[in-house]
Amino acid sequence: MERHREMELLHSGEYSGSDPGGSSRRDIIEEVDFFSKSRLRDEAAGLQPEIPNSSPPPPPPPGEPSINTGLNLLTMNSGGSQQHEVEEKMKNSSSSSSNINNNKLLALQAELDRLGDENRKLRSMLDHLMKNYNDLQNQLLLAMQQQARKAAEDGQKENKNDVQSPAPITARQFMDPGPACMQDTEDPSKSGEGEEEQSPLRNHPHEHGIVSLAKRRLPMDSIPSEQTSPSWGTSKSPKQVPERTTDQSSELACRKARVSVRARSDAPMISDGCQWRKYGQKMAKGNPCPRAYYRCTMAAGCSVRKQVQRCAEDKTILITTYEGNHNHPLPPAAMAMANTTTAAATMLLSGSTSSKDSLTNPTNGFYQPMPYASTMATLSASAPFPTITLDLTQPPGPLQIHRQQTPATPFPLTLPMYMPQKVPGLVVPPGLQFGQQQPSSVMDTVTAAIASDPNFTSALAAAIKSIISTPRSPNAATTATNGPSTPPAAAAALHAFPGSPQFPQSCTTFSTNTN
DNA sequence: CGTCTTTGACCAGCGC
DNA sequence: GCGCTGGTCAAAGACG
């Protein structure tokens, strides 16, 4: 597909090349308004070299870009003291300068004031949007809880045997990720097939593989997408189980998140430890290689499906896209890939809700905490199909966050990463270079890869800023989300960073937690 | 004979 | 409204 072609172009250009997508990293930073003050300060320092460097943050060395990609820079912008400091600096310097320089400084100061006011307005607007979003989310949550409680009471009256009434499960969709959603997803089929009533999953939620995280986006976008999304299982499901209502919507939400894994392999598909049955093959537009559709057959009614397609530009790259949730325990071989996709999906989606504790809170009965989740996920959490791409085709290096323009996946997130060789069930291409460390799991690998990368925070900040600052750009990736979906996306992106634009706090928290 | 794959048809969403 | 595209179904064939 075209997205894959773009991805390939991005990868081939090593992201810092001359291609429009690759060169956007620094440009994005420069065009963001939040940094304008520091830039102006640096410019002022350049005009007035006699100004003593008395400010706590040292200026960049000559020749260095004036952009501080470190996250401390953003913190400086969050307060008004810096502006005052700069103004005083300018005033002091202006007294000892010529009139020409004085005029320049005055102009700069005026511009600085204007930008400061603009930033304050934008910040207040963002805060307002965040507040509204939180309120709406809370209201929806409350409504769903009430509805679930009511339905649970009705269900107990009507059917006492049905201990797992769908109502509380539906409520749980909004409360915590993973098991509840998986149970929801399979409930319709269970009711239809009359089996797995005593599924061990309910007792062993940690054994789930690819977990449902998209449901956390349900309050935001599930309702409209329920009619518009061409997602798997939408068109045919009503025929199979016509009585699907809330469960169906939850399944849609669960399936929204897609985790794409790029790996070099000559095999028809990578061995991820699960059993798959091919149920279709199509020729996708823009790719001479057919796209194969697989369904998990390890358990009846398992909703996990995957698409396997070779990259159009590099036939050695196999692109496997996972979607859905396993409703059965996974073998260790499958757990490796499942954990990887889980981590990726968590990063992708967890930030779309304010209750990031639900991810890391052990009381939710879910998998291990993911400290980085709430900072990474929102980057690509955008309707209709948030997609995160785990790139296993590149050796470990500076972590890059790619935004590509594609209608299907407005904000795909590409994380070049490396896999430990001892990951069971994963076909490791011979040429793939691994890092020196050998974490105990793929999950740890992902975490370590992100945490150990010094450029991650800057890349993260750049990506967030690009998301925030480019909704009006016709060429931006947000083009696909123009309209109703853009505000939630922006809100989701900001939501992971309370008190935005104070991004560095969250990012710093991320870095420390993952170490 | 059962299971799996193949492949054409069907359906829904979306853009023009 | 129509055509394109993605996703799925199901009959037919292949295979062990």
Side-chain angles (χ1 to χ4, degrees):
Chain A
M1 289 177 63
E2 295 176 357
R3 183 181 71 124
H4 297 152
R5 201 175 305 155
E6 294 174 5
M7 292 169 57
E8 196 59 29
L9 289 173
L10 287 172
H11 289 303
S12 62
E14 291 297 324
Y15 194 74
S16 58
S18 59
D19 62 283
S23 61
S24 61
R25 196 160 152 187
R26 181 167 296 172
D27 298 337
I28 288 171
I29 297 177
E30 288 181 345
E31 71 186 19
V32 170
D33 194 19
F34 294 144
F35 291 85
S36 58
K37 289 177 189 171
S38 57
R39 286 210 312 273
L40 286 174
R41 184 186 58 198
D42 294 336
E43 293 172 3
L47 287 172
Q48 302 294 329
E50 66 274 15
I51 295 175
N53 292 333
S54 59
S55 58
E64 285 283 318
S66 61
I67 300 159
N68 182 6
T69 54
L71 295 168
N72 291 334
L73 178 65
L74 287 164
T75 312
M76 295 191 301
N77 294 331
S78 60
S81 61
Q82 282 77 18
Q83 182 183 356
H84 184 67
E85 190 178 294
V86 173
E87 290 172 356
E88 282 193 348
K89 240 189 264 180
M90 289 184 172
K91 286 177 183 175
N92 294 336
S93 62
S94 64
S95 62
S96 62
S97 302
S98 63
N99 290 335
I100 297 174
N101 285 341
N102 198 4
N103 291 337
K104 288 181 179 178
L105 280 176
L106 288 176
L108 279 174
Q109 186 174 351
E111 179 71 8
L112 199 61
D113 292 341
R114 190 186 64 81
L115 292 173
D117 293 340
E118 192 174 341
N119 276 348
R120 275 190 290 272
K121 289 176 183 177
L122 287 172
R123 199 175 300 133
S124 64
M125 287 172 60
L126 285 174
D127 292 340
H128 187 67
L129 281 173
M130 291 303 305
K131 183 178 180 301
N132 290 341
Y133 172 70
N134 286 334
D135 292 343
L136 283 173
Q137 196 173 32
N138 291 334
Q139 290 178 11
L140 182 59
L141 176 61
L142 287 175
M144 290 303 300
Q145 285 178 315
Q146 292 175 359
Q147 184 181 356
R149 220 173 285 130
K150 188 177 179 181
E153 293 174 359
D154 296 341
Q156 288 178 354
K157 291 177 182 177
E158 294 176 358
N159 187 7
K160 291 182 180 179
N161 294 332
D162 189 8
V163 181
Q164 303 290 339
S165 62
I169 296 174
T170 304
R172 288 176 56 191
Q173 306 169 21
F174 301 88
M175 304 295 287
D176 55 14
C181 178
M182 290 178 226
Q183 290 162 4
D184 302 353
T185 303
E186 303 312 321
D187 275 346
S189 61
K190 287 173 195 169
S191 61
E193 300 174 5
E195 62 181 15
E196 293 186 18
E197 290 259 331
Q198 306 297 329
S199 171
L201 293 174
R202 292 190 168 87
N203 297 329
H204 304 283
H206 293 268
E207 296 182 7
H208 293 241
I210 301 172
V211 296
S212 166
L213 300 153
K215 64 168 170 271
R216 296 166 62 83
R217 300 171 48 80
L218 199 56
M220 199 162 55
D221 56 2
S222 69
I223 296 176
S225 64
E226 204 173 80
Q227 292 117 13
T228 59
S229 170
S231 179
W232 288 328
T234 55
S235 60
K236 303 294 181 180
S237 297
K239 291 181 181 178
Q240 298 166 350
V241 187
E243 63 271 19
R244 282 189 186 183
T245 53
T246 57
D247 290 340
Q248 187 179 9
S249 62
S250 67
E251 179 176 356
L252 290 176
C254 292
R255 283 182 164 185
K256 270 184 181 178
R258 292 184 178 181
V259 179
S260 183
V261 179
R262 292 165 51 91
R264 294 190 183 277
S265 174
D266 293 331
M269 70 177 185
I270 61 175
S271 172
D272 48 18
C274 285
Q275 294 176 354
W276 303 93
R277 184 178 71 85
K278 190 176 184 180
Y279 67 92
Q281 179 170 313
K282 290 279 290 188
M283 291 300 298
K285 185 182 178 183
N287 194 332
C289 302
R291 176 187 301 164
Y293 299 89
Y294 293 89
R295 182 177 291 148
C296 179
T297 59
M298 293 192 74
C302 183
S303 63
V304 176
R305 299 176 192 190
K306 74 173 181 181
Q307 300 175 357
V308 179
Q309 188 176 31
R310 294 211 168 269
C311 183
E313 270 64 31
D314 189 351
K315 302 288 173 41
T316 63
I317 295 178
L318 201 63
I319 303 170
T320 306
T321 304
Y322 295 90
E323 189 171 318
N325 329 286
H326 290 288
N327 68 340
H328 52 84
L330 291 171
M335 285 299 294
M337 183 58 76
N339 281 340
T340 303
T341 54
T342 294
T346 303
M347 290 191 295
L348 178 62
L349 295 167
S350 64
S352 60
T353 177
S354 61
S355 59
K356 63 180 178 183
D357 290 342
S358 63
L359 261 182
T360 57
N361 190 356
T363 59
N364 60 10
F366 194 45
Y367 51 90
Q368 60 267 40
M370 300 182 197
Y372 54 88
S374 56
T375 55
M376 290 296 299
T378 55
L379 289 177
S380 56
S382 176
F385 288 121
T387 302
I388 184 167
T389 300
L390 304 179
D391 196 338
L392 311 183
T393 63
Q394 293 182 352
L399 185 140
Q400 300 166 354
I401 299 176
H402 293 174
R403 291 177 57 212
Q404 290 126 6
Q405 305 172 25
T406 169
T409 55
F411 290 166
L413 183 68
T414 302
L415 300 177
M417 54 177 288
Y418 54 95
M419 304 286 290
Q421 285 182 316
K422 62 179 177 180
V423 171
L426 182 66
V427 175
V428 179
L432 188 61
Q433 299 292 326
F434 290 116
Q436 295 179 352
Q437 51 183 332
Q438 294 261 325
S440 58
S441 68
V442 183
M443 178 87 166
D444 295 335
T445 307
V446 179
T447 306
I450 298 173
S452 62
D453 195 294
N455 295 327
F456 167 69
T457 50
S458 58
L460 175 64
I464 294 166
K465 287 187 300 180
S466 66
I467 292 173
I468 296 171
S469 60
T470 57
R472 283 164 182 83
S473 174
N475 294 327
T478 51
T479 302
T481 61
N482 277 348
S485 59
T486 299
L494 292 169
H495 208 141
F497 308 94
S500 58
Q502 298 174 356
F503 299 138
Q505 296 176 358
S506 295
C507 296
T508 306
T509 303
F510 156 76
S511 297
T512 54
N513 287 346
T514 51
N515 288 332

